[in-house]
Amino acid sequence: MRQEGDAVFTNLHLATMVGGYGEQRDGAVRVANGRIVWVGPRAGAPTAGARIVDGGGCWMTPGLIDCHTHIVHAGNRSDEFEARLNGASYEEVARAGGGIMSTVRATRAASEGELLRQSLPRVASLLAEGVTTIEIKSGYGLDLASEAKMLRAARRVGAMLPVDVATTFLGAHALPPEFAGRADDYIGAVCEQMLPALAAEGLVDAVDAFCERIGFSNAQTERVFEAAAKLGLPVKLHAEQLSDQRGAQLVARYRGLSADHLEHLGEEGVAAMAAAGTVAVLLPGAYYFLRDTTPPPVALLRAAGVALAVATDCNPGTSPLTSILLAMNMACTLWRLSPQEALAGCTVHAARALGRHADIGTIEVGKRADFALWDIARPADLSYAMGFNPCRGVVNAGVLRAPMVSWRD
Ligand SMILES: [Zn+2]
């Protein structure tokens, strides 16, 4: 990889994402030591002593951020997908050993290297679309050794590919078979054994749980949040996906980074999130794949001033999606987000959902020089197209990764 050092990226249109799109036509950005040191019109760019990188008339956005994924896992569930489309019921699939436990079995059986080998191509698919930061959750190991294996593999993704990885411990994702009928005992193991050990190994940036009738109760989730708080770790929550469990109020009470899914979120939950500054992470891939019909209350969230993020939720059961651009399109088509909201949802607001908004998410002086370069006519193109990738280059901390190819010449 070539070190750009002190460089001026010029001949570009900027969507800085500061106050809406924050458009700067015919703009330039100067970077030094991986940070943005100047942003403005090309004519005024301080070019002395810097290498010039010609953007070829591309649009530059902040590097995209996928702030909710389960992208490290073994196996997939296309067999269930096919069986169900051929008429099998959920019960028949479950009796045949399907569902989340099939992913748990495959993930437990895989070595760390095998887990990594299967996960890297999925991550690469996101990176090709301008993603520079990705959150990766555990939650298919459900015992200390297997959760540690998942989180170590996630950290290695960040070491092997040009992407920053935020890791989230999701031990409270599902009840493992060895704890059948003893959910409270399992939560005890999550809080007293798994989380402290994984945090001590430096594997946990945030703590998450699945608060749902088929997941864990509000009281069990609160025990997990208490354990996280004791370790000084921020929390987030899979909340209100299938029913209103008042999870949004709970995560807001812990000043959580985000509440995610939210299809069944009520007005009280919206108000609690607004008061706490908790981000709403919208996951249209799961809604689409499950053919759900209850959309999250986008208008209420918007009116309350809750920041809206958009993510892939990449997972083998309900959202086998590795395109952040398609997630943006779905957020617009299915839930009527504007293209500007969708782009903010994968940049400035996604950064906030990871607690990294001081460092990434906008093109502003002082932030890390993570950018995506696009051969597009206007920023709305990113949400508009389906299955088309106009990314022409990615810059990680000032380093131009892909050679830029422009069709404009
Ligand atoms: Zn999820």
Side-chain angles (χ1 to χ4, degrees):
M1 208 182 292
R2 213 149 34 104
Q3 180 60 48
E4 302 296 333
D6 198 347
V8 174
F9 293 81
T10 185
N11 191 20
L12 295 155
H13 304 302
L14 308 177
T16 64
M17 303 315 289
V18 180
Y21 283 131
E23 286 188 33
Q24 169 73 63
R25 299 235 169 202
D26 208 8
V29 179
R30 181 159 181 163
V31 307
N33 301 316
R35 296 271 153 184
I36 300 166
V37 295
W38 187 90
V39 182
R42 176 189 190 177
T47 53
R51 219 172 65 78
I52 305 297
V53 182
D54 188 332
C58 279
W59 277 85
M60 173 188 269
T61 66
L64 302 188
I65 300 165
D66 193 347
C67 69
H68 181 139
T69 87
H70 310 252
I71 205 162
V72 166
H73 58 262
N76 73 25
R77 307 237 285 273
S78 64
D79 50 349
E80 292 171 30
F81 180 71
E82 184 164 36
R84 281 215 301 278
L85 284 165
N86 285 328
S89 68
Y90 278 91
E91 290 69 29
E92 285 166 331
V93 168
R95 255 186 280 123
I100 188 170
M101 284 308 144
S102 72
T103 301
V104 172
R105 279 193 302 276
T107 301
R108 283 178 169 182
S111 67
E112 187 180 316
E114 179 58 19
L115 204 48
L116 199 59
R117 190 192 67 73
Q118 293 192 33
S119 303
L120 287 172
R122 292 189 283 261
V123 178
S125 165
L126 287 173
L127 303 197
E129 290 186 344
V131 170
T132 53
T133 299
I134 177 178
E135 186 251 20
I136 302 178
K137 300 177 194 295
S138 69
Y140 295 119
L142 309 181
D143 61 43
L144 178 56
S146 305
E147 290 287 296
K149 179 176 66 183
M150 286 188 75
L151 292 170
R152 286 187 203 116
R155 286 276 192 246
R156 282 175 68 189
V157 167
M160 294 175 72
L161 295 178
V163 63
D164 272 297
V165 172
T167 55
T168 300
F169 172 55
L170 179 57
H173 191 197
L175 189 63
E178 58 273 20
F179 279 90
R182 297 188 295 128
D184 281 320
D185 291 349
Y186 178 63
I187 292 296
V190 164
C191 297
E192 287 142 38
Q193 293 154 25
M194 297 160 77
L195 177 55
L198 296 167
E201 203 182 321
L203 291 172
V204 182
D205 295 327
V207 176
D208 193 353
F210 184 39
C211 182
E212 192 55 70
R213 283 191 297 241
I214 61 165
F216 295 94
S217 71
N218 203 287
Q220 289 161 343
T221 300
E222 180 152 20
R223 289 173 62 196
V224 176
F225 285 179
E226 275 298 319
K230 257 188 223 151
L231 294 166
L233 293 168
V235 297
K236 42 182 55 222
L237 188 63
H238 285 70
E240 277 64 283
Q241 181 185 8
L242 308 171
S243 60
D244 188 355
Q245 299 290 315
R246 304 178 62 82
Q249 288 91 318
L250 176 60
V251 74
R253 194 142 49 76
Y254 284 81
R255 304 202 76 76
L257 293 173
S258 68
D260 304 35
H261 284 292
L262 302 174
E263 279 82 343
H264 293 265
L265 176 68
E267 277 182 44
E268 265 182 59
V270 172
M273 289 174 65
T278 299
V279 176
V281 177
L282 305 178
L283 305 167
Y287 177 92
Y288 165 84
F289 198 77
L290 294 170
R291 305 176 76 232
D292 202 343
T293 52
T294 305
V298 169
L300 282 180
L301 289 162
R302 192 187 276 138
V306 175
L308 305 177
V310 175
T312 62
D313 191 19
C314 176
N315 79 74
T318 62
S319 187
L321 173 62
T322 54
S323 168
I324 191 91
L325 296 178
L326 187 52
M328 288 165 62
N329 173 270
M330 287 176 169
C332 294
T333 52
L334 298 172
W335 295 336
R336 317 314 290 165
L337 266 71
S338 70
Q340 184 249 301
E341 285 175 320
L343 185 55
C346 297
T347 55
V348 57
H349 295 157
R352 187 167 286 278
L354 298 179
R356 297 190 174 191
H357 44 290
D359 199 41
I360 53 173
T362 58
I363 301 178
E364 280 182 281
V365 169
K367 290 207 177 175
R368 202 168 57 200
D370 285 357
F371 312 124
L373 298 156
W374 310 96
D375 191 356
I376 54 176
R378 61 190 69 81
D381 287 14
L382 299 176
S383 295
Y384 159 79
M386 297 188 286
F388 179 69
N389 180 7
C391 187
R392 292 288 170 265
V394 182
V395 178
N396 301 89
V399 178
L400 180 62
R401 178 153 61 81
M404 245 181 6
V405 181
S406 176
W407 310 151
R408 286 164 190 271
D409 305 326

